[in-house]
Amino acid sequence: MVNAKQAAARPGILGTLVRKFFMNVVKSPGLLACCLFPALFLLLFRFVVIEPIAHDDARMFLLVTGMLFSTSMVPGTTTVYPMAEAREKRTLRTMELAGVGRAQMLAAHGIVSTLWTALVAAACFLVSGASFDSMPPFMLVTVLSSIPLIALSLALGLASRNQMAASFSSLPIILIGIAPMLFVYAEATFQALPLLPTGGGFALVYALAEGTLFASASIVPALAQLAWIVVSLVAFIIVAPRIPCDE
């Protein structure tokens, strides 16, 4: 058995884990299909539903939907299921016995989830047909907005003992992620968007589509999203050590 001090001295463990976990998603048809779904859905919606009716708000709808789908579907897909599968097949315990620390595995899963979120968000943006000038702020807002759900996915992945449990655990992530869609139908509820984990990011992408991202009205959602990021990371750091390991 490799102790913690020896494990910490090993160079390149984190990079190796990131490559392994990233490729695990690529090699899994089910996980890869879930990651591709947001872009494929928007592509279908753009050319089958929107183009024939020439909807005035089509670009805005595609951008905000791409942001929500990227931040809600990808973290649960690329984090909860692989972690639950590793625990079910006892490979997680094997890696721990081999000297790979829990913190390293969590960091690697978090990085992979962030990378996949960025890739899916980029694909959704390209499908939307928006101006490339909007791509950097869209990517930045989407990736940052995904952090609270990535932290939640890591916690649920640790707690899920098998893939059946993961199926149940990933559902709240999706529901929380797409919840802002229900808040756009009235002015009062739209103002309450910052109360949601991805609501601030949603409001910022909405403002980006309207061309008002750098207006004073964007300060509150930006600060709210930053607060959600900090709170979620602190909560995860506190909760993660209390989640039982494999026996």
Side-chain angles (χ1 to χ4, degrees), residues 29 31 36 39 58 62 88 92 97 128 141 181 197 203 222 245:
L31 298 183
L36 294 176
L62 292 172
E88 183 177 13
L92 182 61
L97 292 174
S128 73
V141 170
M181 282 185 171
C245 299

Side-chain angles (χ1 to χ4, degrees), residues 1-14 17 95-105:
M1 184 185 299
V2 181
N3 60 37
K5 186 175 181 180
Q6 290 173 314
R10 284 183 174 181
I13 289 181
L14 182 61
L17 290 175
M95 293 176 68
E96 289 177 347
L97 292 174
V100 179
R102 182 187 244 198
Q104 291 171 316
M105 286 187 287

Side-chain angles (χ1 to χ4, degrees), residues 74-128:
V74 178
T77 298
T78 59
T79 302
V80 179
Y81 282 98
M83 292 180 69
E85 182 182 12
R87 191 168 188 177
E88 183 177 13
K89 295 181 177 179
R90 311 296 291 184
T91 56
L92 182 61
R93 180 60 173 166
T94 302
M95 293 176 68
E96 289 177 347
L97 292 174
V100 179
R102 182 187 244 198
Q104 291 171 316
M105 286 187 287
L106 291 175
H109 276 295
I111 293 172
V112 169
S113 186
T114 303
L115 289 174
W116 275 107
T117 299
L119 289 173
V120 173
C124 290
F125 180 87
L126 294 176
V127 169
S128 73

